[in-house]
Amino acid sequence: QTIVPVIIDIATPPGGALNLFNIYVALSRSSGRHAIRLLRDFDEAVFLQGHSPELLQEDDRLEKLKKETMDWW
């Protein structure tokens, strides 16, 4: 769902951490960069981290299923 405008908080939550997927989902809800407002400062290092191994593994699994489906059809 697209929301205009959107206020996003990408600061590290008190009891956890953010990953690139969380941030992507939050930012992708806006209609563009001009509609986004950040609630507060955030740690820029979050954009330099790699993806979680579990997410990469799931992506590989889905790619394999896609290929198998395409070959079958």
Side-chain angles (χ1 to χ4, degrees):
Q1 180 180 6
T2 302
I3 304 168
V4 179
V6 62
I7 299 172
I8 299 174
D9 186 4
I10 58 175
T12 304
L18 290 175
N19 60 42
L20 292 174
F21 182 73
N22 301 132
I23 295 170
Y24 168 78
V25 170
L27 293 173
S28 69
R29 296 299 179 240
S30 76
S31 61
R33 66 183 183 150
H34 299 294
I36 297 172
R37 297 295 178 262
L38 297 177
L39 183 62
R40 56 185 156 173
D41 291 337
F42 59 92
D43 182 5
E44 295 177 15
V46 72
F47 290 103
L48 302 176
Q49 65 182 337
H51 292 288
S52 71
E54 295 84 7
L55 186 60
L56 294 172
Q57 184 178 15
E58 179 65 4
D59 192 45
D60 290 343
R61 185 186 73 83
L62 291 173
E63 262 316 304
K64 181 181 175 194
L65 284 174
K66 175 186 168 187
K67 182 180 180 327
E68 290 172 1
T69 301
M70 296 299 282
D71 290 345
W72 186 76
W73 282 97

